[in-house]
Every structure is written in C-alpha cells, then in structure tokens.
Amino acid sequence: MPGLGTSFGRDGATTAQQDLKNADAILIMGSSMAENHPVGFQWVMEARERGAKVIHVDPRFNRTSAMADIWVPLRAGSDVLFLGGLINYVLEHGKEFREYVVAYTNASTLLRDDFRDTEDLDGLFSGWDAEKKKYDPESWGYRGAPSTERNKKNGHSSAEGGYGKDRGGEAEELGKFESDPTLQDPRCVFPVLKRHFGRYTPVMVERGCGVPKEIFLKTAETFTSASGTEKTAAICYAVGWTQHSNGVQIIRSAAILQLLLGNIGRPGGGILALRGHASIQGSTDIPTLYDMLPGYLPMPQFEADSSKLKSFIAKHKSRTGLWANFDKYIVSLLKAWYGDAATAANNFGFDWLPRVTGDHSHFGYWYDMLDGKMDGLFVMGQNPAVGAPNGRLQRSALAKLKWMVVRDMVEIETASF
C-alpha cells in the first residue's frame, strides 16, 4: 500500500478487475490468480480471447501458468530484480510512452542539486542519518520548490504501521518547481532514473533471477510493446509481493514501470492488488485497518497536529492532486457519521474520533506478543502460523500467549499449533 500511495496518492488498486478485459498484455506476479481469484480471472481470459498476451512470473508452474502465453520461473525473492530489468529494458530501448511521461509524471522535474543517488553514496541516498538510522528527506525535493518546515517533517509517524498517507520526500509545493520537458537535463528525474536502473541488465537478471536471457527478453518485449496511444498493459499481484520484506519496493517498481509505459488511468492499464474481495479488500475500503478511516483517510494520532481539525487538515491536505480536497473528504465523513450533531462550532465532531496510540499493524502486534505484552489473541480469516513473512517469529510469538481462539471452517496450521 505505501508503494501505491507514494506513486498515486492513494493506497488502493488503480482500476477494477473488470477493466482487465481491455488490456493488450497482463503481467501476473506474486499470485496464482486462476486458483485464488477465479472470478476475477475470467476478465484475464476475456482479454486473452481478444488477443492479449498473458504473462505469469512465478517459481511454481500452476493453473495460472497453464493458462498463460508465457510462464517465467524465477528464484523466490528476486522480484525487484526482475522488475528492475523490465524498467531498464524500457529506458534502454526507448519504449517509454514519451508524451504520457512528460505530461502526466514527474519525469521532467529537476531534482535539487544536493540530492545524491545510491550510485554516488555506495548504496545510500542522500540524507541518511547513521545514528538515527533514518533518512532526512530534505534533499529529495524539487529544484525551485520552497524548503518549508513541513518538508522537514515528511515521512510517516512510528504510530503508523506503513499505511500512513504522508511519505518521506513528498514535495511541499508541487506547483512550484523547475522542469525540462526535453528530459535532457542531467538533474531531471528521467536521466536519474535511467542511471539508477542501468545496472539491471538481462545478464544480471539471468544471474540473479535464474531466468534465461532469451526468455527475459521475450517477456520484456511482449509486455513493454503493450504501450502507446493504442495499447495498454496491466499488472496483477497478490500477497506473493506484499508479504516480502521488500514488498513496498516491489510494488513501487511496478508503479514506475507502468508510469513509464503510460499504463495508469487508461482503459486496460493499471496495477491491481488481488486480495480477498469480500474480506481483505473490503476491510481496507470500509475500513477495519487500525490507522485508516473510510476513503483511505488517515486516523488522527496523539500528536499536536492531530488535536484540532484545522491542524489535522493542514497536515494532510495537498495543494494539488487527490488530497487537495482532503478537507471536504474528512468533513463529509464526519457529517455522515454524526449527522446534525456535527457542526462547524464543534469541528464536525472531530474530537469524538479515537486516536492512534502506537503501531498496531500486524507486525506491531506480533512484536508486542513476542515481548510478552499480550495475553490472548482471536484469529479470524488469517493463518499466521504459516501466512506471514517470518513463520518462525510468528510461532515464537504465539507461544508466548496465555490463550488463543481460532475461528475457521477447517483446522488450519494456526489452530493445530
């Protein structure tokens, strides 16, 4: 979700599954969509009947692989490297949708002169504080954008388990920046991106992913050719991406690839997070996630800038884009909940909202559990003994509980444990 939120301003999928039928190519990674999302997979099959190419990248050969035009087996955990190879292929072969990239992305924007990429600093970006083990994103802004106090506070609070709206490096004044529409200036985003991904060659993909060079090149040409004014491609992923330790970076790479190809906001294009649409997706949209309100609005926290509605809006409202209407969204929600009791005199009931007090995300809870800070756990719609990035940690934490109740239709591994 942070990968999508950083790229597009909102954490949800960029399109609906029904739109897949309009795609000319569909890349499925981190998922066996045919088996785990069979209802949504019908739209993939409709696209294929229209002539679309279906690509399945997965270590295993399964039903999705059997229905795909190209199956690419890669080493588990090498997804970022494979996507980096696709991005490099686009940039090296001039496959980007240039008109789209210039008009609808920040590719032409000039970066500040003090920004340094990982090639310059032995794997680190500028702003790294070794003592605090975190980045100061001040140097990540755009040239010409004012340096403001808010810029120094960018990044999400430790109380947010990764879902917070505001990210490190988010430019304060998006309406003020310098740019080069020709994409030639060495300080503009496009050549910096090209240099950064230059290392992801087909040879490196073959060595790191275990994918033969000729198969990678066939896949790259097939997918990247579904771009331009007449064609689009979609990417579908599931927990095979999100539950990697670098899941955010994987999804961010997919977003970069799709933006370069002009596949966002157009029929048949987009990035879809394939989740249980009656449970996980519904929980996100309603939402039952601890730090979000409906509409992907952030929950207020026990912090000074969340104590009053005015300061809360000032913190999260942007000058342009989706969040330029943040004030309307939050007031509309408060009125929907509190009705006539929500008035301007009482900040529309903003004070009645609960506040986030800490990291209550999945791993936030599990770390507390491991430290003996939790007595009991209800498990519903989840299988933590095997269904998270670190099964040993999950089970070690579960062993610290005094009691656990598992509600499921069958005896899952967590129930057996």
Side-chain angles (χ1 to χ4, degrees):
M1 293 176 67
L4 293 174
T6 301
S7 302
F8 309 119
R10 193 163 176 269
D11 301 332
T14 67
T15 185
Q17 290 195 37
Q18 292 90 330
D19 188 47
L20 288 171
K21 68 178 183 294
N22 299 312
D24 296 285
I26 301 172
L27 173 64
I28 303 172
M29 287 183 71
S31 167
S32 177
M33 190 177 180
E35 295 171 300
N36 296 317
H37 300 88
V39 176
F41 195 70
Q42 67 171 309
W43 307 111
V44 177
M45 289 295 93
E46 286 200 21
R48 190 180 178 197
E49 290 172 2
R50 288 180 49 253
K53 297 297 183 181
V54 179
I55 303 165
H56 188 221
V57 182
D58 198 292
R60 308 159 302 155
F61 185 90
N62 50 44
R63 292 183 182 181
T64 306
S65 315
M67 301 303 293
D69 296 281
I70 303 174
W71 171 55
V72 184
L74 84 170
R75 292 192 179 103
S78 64
D79 304 65
V80 159
L81 177 52
F82 186 84
L83 292 171
L86 293 179
I87 293 171
N88 180 55
Y89 185 87
V90 170
L91 297 170
E92 286 297 314
H93 294 81
K95 304 282 284 187
E96 73 275 359
F97 186 0
R98 182 61 67 104
E99 296 84 355
Y100 179 101
V101 167
V102 172
Y104 298 111
T105 77
N106 68 343
S108 64
T109 308
L110 299 184
L111 297 168
R112 285 175 36 152
D113 293 333
D114 55 347
F115 170 77
R116 293 292 180 271
D117 200 358
T118 52
E119 281 73 17
D120 305 311
L121 300 175
D122 194 28
L124 295 172
F125 293 97
S126 54
W128 175 250
D129 188 323
E131 184 177 340
K132 296 181 180 178
K133 297 189 182 300
K134 62 186 297 186
Y135 280 104
D136 174 0
E138 179 65 21
S139 64
W140 302 355
Y142 299 147
R143 185 192 293 176
S147 178
T148 67
E149 187 61 29
R150 177 180 167 183
N151 238 8
K152 298 175 183 178
K153 294 182 179 178
N154 274 334
H156 56 77
S157 164
S158 59
E160 295 164 335
Y163 296 110
K165 181 185 76 66
D166 292 306
R167 303 293 162 204
E170 180 179 312
E172 165 64 9
E173 279 289 347
L174 294 178
K176 297 179 181 178
F177 56 85
E178 297 177 22
S179 65
D180 172 23
T182 69
L183 307 183
Q184 298 302 309
D185 191 302
R187 296 305 296 169
C188 83
V189 169
F190 189 79
V192 172
L193 185 77
K194 187 173 183 178
R195 180 184 176 213
H196 181 87
F197 282 96
R199 75 187 74 175
Y200 294 93
T201 63
V203 173
M204 185 179 182
V205 171
E206 183 173 46
R207 186 171 67 245
C209 299
V211 177
K213 180 180 177 180
E214 59 274 13
I215 294 180
F216 169 76
L217 291 174
K218 178 184 178 182
T219 303
E221 181 61 24
T222 301
F223 185 77
T224 61
S225 294
S227 174
T229 58
E230 302 298 326
K231 292 185 177 182
T232 53
I235 294 178
C236 301
Y237 72 90
V239 292
W241 274 5
T242 55
Q243 291 196 353
H244 274 297
S245 60
N246 63 340
V248 173
Q249 287 77 17
I250 297 174
I251 297 162
R252 178 70 159 147
S253 300
I256 292 172
L257 176 63
Q258 288 293 69
L259 286 169
L260 286 170
L261 295 172
N263 284 331
I264 298 296
R266 300 175 60 223
I271 302 176
L272 287 103
L274 302 171
R275 288 105 70 86
H277 285 79
S279 54
I280 304 175
Q281 184 66 55
S283 295
T284 307
D285 293 341
I286 293 174
T288 54
L289 292 173
Y290 80 97
D291 62 346
M292 289 202 306
L293 299 170
Y296 294 84
L297 301 175
M299 280 279 289
Q301 302 165 20
F302 271 118
E303 295 178 352
D305 52 6
S306 292
S307 60
K308 300 294 182 183
L309 179 60
K310 183 177 180 180
S311 58
F312 181 68
I313 291 173
K315 177 182 179 181
H316 295 290
K317 185 176 180 178
S318 301
R319 183 179 177 274
T320 59
L322 179 79
W323 297 112
N325 291 308
F326 182 84
D327 52 343
K328 297 183 178 66
Y329 300 153
I330 187 66
V331 170
S332 175
L333 177 65
L334 292 170
K335 285 182 175 180
W337 276 348
Y338 302 131
D340 294 338
T343 66
N346 63 13
N347 287 320
F348 303 100
F350 179 71
D351 291 343
W352 302 332
L353 290 177
R355 264 51 175 176
V356 175
T357 60
D359 181 2
H360 302 310
S361 64
H362 176 87
F363 267 113
Y365 265 124
W366 247 257
Y367 291 143
D368 284 347
M369 197 185 304
L370 195 64
D371 292 337
K373 298 178 181 179
M374 289 177 59
D375 285 348
L377 178 71
F378 284 99
V379 179
M380 296 174 281
Q382 192 175 10
N383 192 5
V386 296
N390 190 331
R392 179 177 294 179
L393 182 145
Q394 307 281 318
R395 293 176 183 236
S396 297
L398 290 172
K400 298 290 184 69
L401 294 171
K402 296 178 181 177
W403 58 267
M404 178 171 63
V405 177
V406 179
R407 186 220 66 182
D408 211 296
M409 294 179 287
V410 297
E411 186 179 351
I412 58 177
E413 288 84 351
T414 303
S416 302
F417 177 84

